[in-house]
Amino acid sequence: MFRQPLLSAARTASRAARGAVRGKAALQEAGSSRAPERLRGLQGTCRRIHTTTQLCNVKEGRQNTEEEVGAFTKLIEAMGFTGPLKYNKWKIKIAALRMYTCCVERIHYDDFFDRCCLPDTLNSWFLVAQLHVWMCLVRMRQEGREGKYMCQFMVHAMWEDVEQRSKIMGIDALHRKEGMKAMTETFYAALFGYDEGILSDDSVLAAALWRNLFNCECEDPQQLELMVGYVRKQVQYVDSLDGDDLLLTGEVKWRPLVEENAQSILKVATPTYNDTGL
């Protein structure tokens, strides 16, 4: 009963398949005999268009990979951990410690105390040191995530140094805690003021120096003029240093406060870095 419809359906399908094969072969023969040059031209055009699109996609993909930071990296950095860095984090820490050492050991504080009429106290030392630390922070913030990590460790090393110096001077725990709190407020207020001043004209920078470095007690405009010129030339000098060298060495040789024959900023020789044992 069901065999005859099934057999007829199978015969119909077989005839359709044979017809399709014959039609495809006929079309191939016709195409190859009638318009071979036209088909070759269309194939060449398709290849060129496909290749151009593929190259554009690859280029866009590389740019996105270099500029964007993954969600996991952002998450672990928000939690306080360090994400993957271009250089070893211990090398960056050592460079940050060297850079902070340059801010406190390669500065002639007596020149600042004499020419700016600052008292020879721990607070005056801190005000001069934080000015140079800020200039290093401005430069290292331009070096991406590695520079930001270096800035964090520099600030951490600065507070440890201030606390050790206050202990050596015999300041008791209560006054040391109050002094550290006041210095912290002064430091972050100075960062904001100096950032605004370096991006503005000399009058804004002079106002920031008058508030933070001179404690609103400077009455000599020549002192403000001296410090404004000093900050401008130091920022220009530090900005001329190579970023990779700073990330690996942290070496900064400051220009003197007063220069008789001031010359243009020249790129200094590349410092050597010995990473043996790291």
Side-chain angles (χ1 to χ4, degrees):
M1 180 176 181
F2 299 101
R3 184 178 300 177
Q4 188 173 0
L6 291 174
L7 290 174
S8 61
R11 293 191 189 96
T12 304
S14 178
R15 294 192 192 99
R18 287 196 296 269
V21 172
R22 292 173 184 171
K24 183 177 181 180
L27 288 174
Q28 290 178 352
E29 292 177 358
S32 60
S33 61
R34 292 179 182 177
E37 297 180 356
R38 184 179 180 183
L39 288 176
R40 292 193 190 99
L42 289 175
Q43 290 176 357
T45 305
C46 292
R47 290 194 188 97
R48 287 195 296 271
I49 295 175
H50 177 70
T51 303
T52 305
T53 306
Q54 185 176 5
L55 290 176
C56 291
N57 292 335
V58 172
K59 186 177 181 180
E60 293 175 358
R62 289 179 181 176
Q63 291 178 352
N64 295 334
T65 303
E66 293 177 356
E67 294 177 359
E68 295 182 358
V69 179
F72 180 73
T73 301
K74 295 180 180 179
L75 177 62
I76 61 177
E77 289 182 349
M79 297 173 62
F81 299 97
T82 304
L85 301 174
K86 181 169 62 173
Y87 298 112
N88 189 297
K89 66 177 183 179
W90 297 110
K91 295 181 180 180
I92 297 178
K93 282 187 175 182
I94 293 175
L97 186 58
R98 288 175 179 171
M99 184 173 288
Y100 174 72
T101 303
C102 294
C103 294
V104 296
E105 298 294 338
R106 294 184 178 179
I107 304 299
H108 298 285
Y109 290 94
D110 293 337
D111 294 342
F112 289 91
F113 295 161
D114 294 339
R115 293 186 175 273
C116 298
C117 298
L118 299 176
D120 190 0
T121 60
L122 178 62
N123 186 59
S124 297
W125 169 87
F126 174 74
L127 295 177
V128 176
Q130 78 170 1
L131 178 63
H132 293 81
V133 170
W134 163 75
M135 288 188 282
C136 290
L137 296 180
V138 170
R139 177 62 183 89
M140 298 316 300
R141 280 182 294 191
Q142 303 176 23
E143 298 302 322
R145 297 172 55 253
E146 292 79 10
K148 293 180 181 179
Y149 178 71
M150 190 170 177
C151 291
Q152 294 175 2
F153 195 78
M154 276 190 63
V155 174
H156 177 73
M158 181 188 69
W159 293 126
E160 286 189 347
D161 184 32
V162 171
E163 186 175 4
Q164 291 298 324
R165 289 174 185 267
S166 61
K167 289 181 180 179
I168 293 175
M169 294 182 64
I171 302 176
D172 58 277
L174 180 61
H175 290 84
R176 186 168 61 248
K177 183 178 180 180
E178 295 177 354
M180 291 289 293
K181 182 179 179 181
M183 287 182 178
T184 303
E185 296 176 354
T186 302
F187 176 71
Y188 289 105
L191 291 185
F192 180 80
Y194 289 150
D195 285 342
E196 183 184 11
I198 201 64
L199 295 175
S200 305
D201 55 10
D202 291 344
S203 61
V204 180
L205 180 58
L209 291 168
W210 182 75
R211 291 192 308 268
N212 299 287
L213 180 64
F214 294 96
N215 287 322
C216 304
E217 296 179 357
C218 178
E219 298 180 357
D220 188 355
Q222 293 183 355
Q223 295 178 357
L224 287 174
E225 182 182 3
L226 174 65
M227 290 307 302
V228 168
Y230 177 78
V231 171
R232 293 290 186 190
K233 72 179 181 181
Q234 292 291 12
V235 171
Q236 183 185 9
Y237 164 72
V238 178
D239 188 64
S240 66
L241 301 178
D242 184 73
D244 292 331
D245 294 340
L246 292 175
L247 288 172
L248 292 176
T249 63
E251 292 288 336
V252 178
K253 296 180 180 179
W254 302 100
R255 302 182 68 180
L257 178 61
V258 179
E259 294 180 277
E260 296 180 357
N261 298 320
Q263 299 178 357
S264 62
I265 302 296
L266 299 177
K267 181 175 174 58
V268 297
T270 304
T272 58
Y273 175 70
N274 184 13
D275 59 352
T276 305
L278 296 179

